[in-house]
Amino acid sequence: MQDTQVAGALATTAAELDAQDELAFLRRRFHLPDEEVYCESTCLGPLPVNVPQEMARTVAQEWGRGLLSSWWEAGWWDAPRRVGDKVGRLVGAAPGRTVVGDSTTVQLFNALVAAARLRPERRTLLAPTTQFTTVRYITDSVARLLGLRVRRVAPAELSAALGAEGDDVAVLVHEAVDFRTGEAHDLAGLTRAAHAAGVVCLWDLSHGAGVLPVGLDVHDVDFAVGCTYKYLCGGPGAPAFLYVNARHQDAVDQPLPGWTGHAEPFAMRDVYHPAEGIDRGRIGTPSILSMIALEHALDAYEGVTIEQIGARGRSLTGFFLTCADELLTPQGVGVATPREPQSRAGHMAVRHPDAEDIIGRLRKRGVYADRRPPDLMRFGLHPLFCTHREVLRVVTEITEVIA
Ligand SMILES: Cc1ncc(COP(=O)(O)O)c(C=O)c1O
Ligand SMILES: Nc1c(O)cccc1C(=O)C[C@H](N)C(=O)O
């Protein structure tokens, strides 16, 4: 086929897929530029349309008029758990297993120490070589703090490592989705392999939450954390979440015993007695305005299941591959994201030695994406609002810029 025929066929397919899309209405739930393509949900999701008015109301009425009483009368005190449950629905957690607050970095530290304390006789933290910076730094720091060693192996070798050396591993700490390539790891299989060796697992869901069905309860995950400002669109610096399996909740001994996680926070006891259940995952005073923004942002997920969202996402990433095969491969440009549908998540990654320059040029053409060293371009295809036509435009623009 000639280039123009290929382009025409892809445009027809994109139009058909968009026409059949039963979730197309979700796009109206976001403020999005008309002529530009936003593919940076890998870092910051866009603003849901209902958030500004809810924030204005919260500030004027709850803070402005309700003042201190709003902690109880406006439901601020219960927000970490209430919003946690709302996130929980999207990560397969029953109510009472997820709490929201602080940053992912803080939650990782807390959860990793708490997880390691469940296996005091074991000396190793196991992790993939591909860890995101903050996860890597926290893993190393927790190891130093607790006198453990860190063993890092390639993701594909983790199962074998669990089989061979698992009896000395306290915790497997892993990201559900690789921040570079967008590869969705086998959370269910690795959690099973970890449990078979008596290992506790801690998953960082930052690049998977709101994109994929991760099924935390179904897969019996021990601990999970994640950020809410990417696909969950909670806003810049939105609070992170912590999930704790019901069977661990009463045994959790977290290293940041803040007063809001105390069983009787207002009794002002000298000794820390943790609250029951997920409330012991609370630390200090939560950032209420950010939490309320997140609470309303999550309404963008109302009325759809995470399975429907996952299927829509796979359609977008699958179409990206189709376009890449036709348009990028002939230019010698490789896709770094795995092809198998179950191994793809929210973003597609493309390799090119001039990634930085290409991303800069794409911005000038109205395509917003990001890059990660040394040579990766990342295109976050948010499953709530990206369209197949946008996917084709992105790939076409990459082709033109490179040419
Ligand atoms: C896997 C992963 N974990 C954690 C974070 C972020 O942690 P924090 O929100 O504390 O900066 C990111 C992105 O910044 C990430 O990609
Ligand atoms: N958290 C971010 C921020 O505050 C500014 C810019 C980017 C980010 C990110 O989330 C980076 C991201 N975790 C990554 O995968 O590279």
Side-chain angles (χ1 to χ4, degrees), residues 128-148:
T129 44
T130 50
Q131 283 183 304
F132 176 70
T133 53
T134 219
V135 190
R136 176 177 292 266
Y137 307 153
I138 291 292
T139 306
D140 288 340
S141 171
V142 168
R144 276 203 311 281
L145 204 66
L146 301 183
L148 307 176

Side-chain angles (χ1 to χ4, degrees), residues 104-114 138 141-142 145 255-256:
T104 313
T105 305
V106 170
Q107 296 291 5
L108 266 166
F109 172 77
N110 239 2
L112 187 50
V113 173
I138 291 292
S141 171
V142 168
L145 204 66
L256 295 175

Side-chain angles (χ1 to χ4, degrees), residues 42-43 102-108 131-135 175-179 204-207 225-230 237-238 240 372 378:
T42 43
C43 291
D102 296 272
S103 67
T104 313
T105 305
V106 170
Q107 296 291 5
L108 266 166
Q131 283 183 304
F132 176 70
T133 53
T134 219
V135 190
E175 284 134 74
V177 177
D178 186 298
F179 79 101
D204 182 331
L205 307 180
S206 291
H207 285 275
V225 299
C227 61
T228 64
Y229 48 71
K230 300 183 193 290
R372 285 294 173 261
R378 299 190 305 182

Side-chain angles (χ1 to χ4, degrees), residues 4-187:
T4 47
Q5 284 175 310
V6 170
L10 289 172
T12 305
T13 307
E16 283 169 4
L17 289 169
D18 284 342
Q20 291 157 15
D21 180 7
E22 290 174 358
L23 301 184
F25 69 96
L26 295 171
R27 187 178 171 91
R28 292 195 291 279
R29 297 181 176 180
F30 296 92
H31 280 294
L32 288 165
D34 286 338
E35 299 302 325
E36 294 165 347
V37 188
Y38 189 70
C39 297
E40 292 189 305
S41 300
T42 43
C43 291
L44 180 68
L47 175 66
V49 289
N50 61 330
V51 169
Q53 75 211 36
E54 295 292 351
M55 291 309 289
R57 189 189 53 75
T58 303
V59 170
Q61 288 176 26
E62 297 179 7
W63 180 13
R65 300 178 72 165
L67 289 162
L68 183 65
S69 67
S70 287
W71 278 103
W72 299 278
E73 286 167 21
W76 292 355
W77 189 265
D78 296 326
R81 195 185 168 126
R82 186 178 69 240
V83 185
D85 285 345
K86 214 162 166 177
V87 173
R89 178 180 90 79
L90 298 172
V91 292
R97 298 186 184 170
T98 314
V99 72
V100 164
D102 296 272
S103 67
T104 313
T105 305
V106 170
Q107 296 291 5
L108 266 166
F109 172 77
N110 239 2
L112 187 50
V113 173
R117 283 177 172 170
L118 294 176
R119 294 288 180 274
E121 71 291 355
R122 298 184 175 207
R123 310 308 318 151
T124 304
L125 301 177
L126 181 64
T129 44
T130 50
Q131 283 183 304
F132 176 70
T133 53
T134 219
V135 190
R136 176 177 292 266
Y137 307 153
I138 291 292
T139 306
D140 288 340
S141 171
V142 168
R144 276 203 311 281
L145 204 66
L146 301 183
L148 307 176
R149 68 171 191 139
V150 181
R151 170 114 166 87
R152 287 195 177 88
V153 302
E157 288 162 23
L158 281 169
S159 255
L162 283 164
E165 335 160 19
D167 56 0
D168 189 49
V169 176
V171 188
L172 166 68
V173 49
H174 205 330
E175 284 134 74
V177 177
D178 186 298
F179 79 101
R180 290 194 181 86
T181 63
E183 174 174 3
H185 292 291
D186 179 10
L187 177 143

Side-chain angles (χ1 to χ4, degrees), residues 50-370:
N50 61 330
V51 169
Q53 75 211 36
E54 295 292 351
M55 291 309 289
R57 189 189 53 75
T58 303
V59 170
Q61 288 176 26
E62 297 179 7
W63 180 13
R65 300 178 72 165
L67 289 162
L68 183 65
S69 67
S70 287
W71 278 103
W72 299 278
E73 286 167 21
W76 292 355
W77 189 265
D78 296 326
R81 195 185 168 126
R82 186 178 69 240
V83 185
D85 285 345
K86 214 162 166 177
V87 173
R89 178 180 90 79
L90 298 172
V91 292
R97 298 186 184 170
T98 314
V99 72
V100 164
D102 296 272
S103 67
T104 313
T105 305
V106 170
Q107 296 291 5
L108 266 166
F109 172 77
N110 239 2
L112 187 50
V113 173
R117 283 177 172 170
L118 294 176
R119 294 288 180 274
E121 71 291 355
R122 298 184 175 207
R123 310 308 318 151
T124 304
L125 301 177
L126 181 64
T129 44
T130 50
Q131 283 183 304
F132 176 70
T133 53
T134 219
V135 190
R136 176 177 292 266
Y137 307 153
I138 291 292
T139 306
D140 288 340
S141 171
V142 168
R144 276 203 311 281
L145 204 66
L146 301 183
L148 307 176
R149 68 171 191 139
V150 181
R151 170 114 166 87
R152 287 195 177 88
V153 302
E157 288 162 23
L158 281 169
S159 255
L162 283 164
E165 335 160 19
D167 56 0
D168 189 49
V169 176
V171 188
L172 166 68
V173 49
H174 205 330
E175 284 134 74
V177 177
D178 186 298
F179 79 101
R180 290 194 181 86
T181 63
E183 174 174 3
H185 292 291
D186 179 10
L187 177 143
L190 280 167
T191 301
R192 258 196 317 277
H195 288 172
V199 173
V200 177
C201 56
L202 163 57
W203 286 94
D204 182 331
L205 307 180
S206 291
H207 285 275
V211 177
L212 296 172
V214 283
L216 295 182
D217 284 346
V218 167
H219 300 307
D220 199 25
V221 164
D222 301 283
F223 295 85
V225 299
C227 61
T228 64
Y229 48 71
K230 300 183 193 290
Y231 297 93
L232 296 176
C233 300
F241 64 89
L242 165 73
Y243 164 92
V244 182
N245 190 307
R247 87 191 135 78
H248 294 313
Q249 286 187 355
D250 291 338
V252 162
D253 177 10
Q254 63 147 319
L256 295 175
W259 76 286
T260 72
H262 195 282
E264 303 169 281
F266 288 93
M268 305 299 160
R269 307 264 180 232
D270 287 344
V271 178
Y272 181 74
H273 287 297
E276 288 195 353
I278 194 65
D279 282 340
R280 74 173 54 185
R282 297 179 65 150
I283 308 173
T285 303
S287 178
I288 287 296
L289 294 180
S290 287
M291 210 169 275
I292 300 298
L294 170 62
E295 180 168 23
H296 294 290
L298 292 170
D299 289 344
Y301 282 86
E302 275 304 302
V304 273
T305 64
I306 193 66
E307 286 73 22
Q308 287 175 290
I309 292 163
R312 187 174 192 277
R314 278 194 298 280
S315 176
L316 293 167
T317 53
F319 187 57
F320 189 104
L321 279 174
T322 305
C323 297
D325 289 345
E326 295 288 356
L327 304 175
L328 293 178
T329 310
Q331 280 186 320
V333 179
V335 174
T337 312
R339 298 191 72 87
E340 303 72 35
Q342 75 279 7
S343 302
R344 303 195 305 258
H347 72 267
M348 296 299 289
V350 173
R351 285 193 196 286
H352 195 284
D354 299 328
E356 181 173 2
D357 184 48
I358 295 168
I359 287 294
R361 287 169 191 262
L362 287 174
R363 292 188 95 78
K364 292 195 183 124
R365 292 165 164 247
V367 172
Y368 293 84
D370 67 14

